[in-house]
Amino acid sequence: KIRCRMSKEDDSSVVHGLKDIAAGSVRGITQVLVGHPLDTIKVRLQTQTGDHHFTGIRDCIQQTWKHEGPMAFYKGAQSPLYMAAVYSSVLFLTYGQTKRIFGLSDDKPLDFLTMIKVGTVTGFIAALVESPLDLVKSKMQVQYDKGQYRSSVECARSILHNYGVRGIFQSFDATILRNCLGSIVYFYAYEKIRELLGGGSKQLSVGHIMTAGGLAGAAYWTAIFPIDAVKSRMQVENSDVTKRSYTNVVQAFQKIYRTDGVKSFYRGFGVCLIRSFPTNAASFIAFEYSRKLLN
């Protein structure tokens, strides 16, 4: 049994924040280790071109394995792995503190309108951290064979050196849109499902946490996948702003729709759903157990 967080009224905001940072870090690393291989397949399906075309999930996995070997599934993992702790800690720190600012607690009924505010603030702040990391990850994941960059660090340094802050925040508007909507859906789904499964009890079983986390992950990707597809397309474009096809997220949506139709927004959706349940089930178990140990 895992005792829900925020149960001790005498804990200060600082103590709560430190616990969220520590538990969020463990959660982030767990999520990358479990989910990165299928994330690579998702990004490749979303951004495939005439030179690298796949008929589906199985074909993408087979071609990647055949031509690049098993380690290709972890391309770009260096960036999210050592920075996942930073991003996830910021995400859960912001979420925890924003909940307290808006008066949400485990002892009160979940209010959807307040969760919209909490999710929007959380998503925006998290996007400031995630956008550069996600950019590097995506550029590494679509490098076929040897590619332009030898590592995520080299990729980040090269973009910063040649294109500055504007370059490293390529597709930032799409990331904000995705993260704000995603955070609302993700955290509301998790809290609501946890509330329903727990029946008002503060003692939740491992199975309940895994179910709530897995379903929240599935709800998240279902809600934001078209935006994520556009974001991925924008991220893998040329780092030079003068050579890009898309100037902003709205124009990108319009151009992709006119060129490839609705189906292009859902390439890789199947593998994403397959990945989402175990990845988020494992990551929330890691978060809740870490939180329990800290309590």
Side-chain angles (χ1 to χ4, degrees):
K1 300 276 185 178
I2 302 175
R3 187 171 181 80
C4 291
R5 49 198 189 283
M6 295 173 61
S7 59
K8 295 185 178 180
E9 295 182 356
D10 57 342
D11 271 9
S12 68
S13 294
V14 174
V15 173
H16 273 305
L18 291 174
K19 290 177 180 179
D20 286 337
I21 290 172
S25 299
V26 176
R27 176 257 181 194
I29 293 172
T30 302
Q31 190 169 43
V32 172
L33 292 174
V34 175
H36 193 82
L38 287 178
D39 184 67
T40 297
I41 300 302
K42 173 188 76 75
V43 172
R44 289 191 168 194
L45 287 169
Q46 286 178 323
T47 60
Q48 60 185 301
T49 62
D51 295 331
H52 299 285
H53 180 73
F54 310 105
T55 59
I57 298 171
R58 183 177 179 181
D59 181 53
C60 185
I61 293 172
Q62 289 176 336
Q63 286 198 45
T64 300
W65 183 285
K66 179 180 178 181
H67 298 294
E68 301 169 77
M71 292 309 296
F73 296 103
Y74 278 95
K75 278 188 174 180
Q78 183 183 9
S79 169
L81 185 58
Y82 66 70
M83 291 302 290
V86 176
Y87 164 68
S88 190
S89 63
V90 169
L91 179 70
F92 277 82
L93 171 64
T94 305
Y95 176 61
Q97 295 298 317
T98 308
K99 278 180 70 177
R100 295 179 192 104
I101 290 172
F102 284 102
L104 288 178
S105 71
D106 292 335
D107 299 323
K108 298 179 181 179
L110 197 61
D111 179 63
F112 180 65
L113 292 178
T114 305
M115 282 297 294
I116 291 177
K117 300 174 187 177
V118 172
T120 300
V121 173
T122 301
F124 180 81
I125 294 177
L128 293 171
V129 177
E130 184 182 22
S131 189
L133 305 179
D134 203 37
L135 175 72
V136 172
K137 174 185 73 69
S138 295
K139 287 189 180 295
M140 292 297 295
Q141 285 175 319
V142 296
Q143 285 196 144
Y144 298 89
D145 302 318
K146 290 186 178 179
Q148 180 181 358
Y149 307 110
R150 291 174 295 179
S151 69
S152 298
V153 174
E154 181 185 333
C155 177
R157 285 176 177 172
S158 177
I159 294 172
L160 275 171
H161 176 74
N162 294 306
Y163 306 104
V165 175
R166 188 176 184 182
I168 205 68
F169 276 93
Q170 182 176 337
S171 82
F172 184 49
D173 54 347
T175 304
I176 290 176
L177 182 61
R178 183 198 67 168
N179 280 24
C180 289
L181 174 61
S183 292
I184 294 168
V185 174
Y186 189 55
F187 287 113
Y188 180 77
Y190 179 68
E191 300 285 5
K192 191 64 179 179
I193 295 168
R194 198 182 68 172
E195 181 182 279
L196 293 172
L197 293 175
S201 173
K202 292 184 178 181
Q203 297 291 336
L204 296 177
S205 69
V206 171
H208 286 163
I209 296 296
M210 292 182 68
T211 301
L215 291 176
Y220 170 86
W221 284 109
T222 301
I224 60 90
F225 198 81
I227 305 171
D228 186 73
V230 172
K231 175 199 67 68
S232 294
R233 291 271 197 109
M234 294 176 70
Q235 285 179 328
V236 300
E237 282 210 299
N238 199 302
S239 296
D240 186 343
V241 68
T242 63
K243 297 179 180 179
R244 297 177 194 169
S245 302
Y246 312 120
T247 56
N248 58 65
V249 65
V250 175
Q251 185 255 4
F253 261 109
Q254 294 172 337
K255 190 168 185 177
I256 293 169
Y257 176 74
R258 286 197 302 266
T259 305
D260 301 319
V262 175
K263 66 179 182 180
S264 63
F265 296 113
Y266 288 94
R267 288 175 183 164
F269 183 56
V271 70
C272 188
L273 279 185
I274 293 171
R275 164 185 172 267
S276 66
F277 194 96
T279 300
N280 287 282
S283 64
F284 268 109
I285 282 292
F287 178 82
E288 296 288 5
Y289 261 112
S290 299
R291 206 59 165 76
K292 179 186 178 183
L293 289 174
L294 290 170
N295 283 336

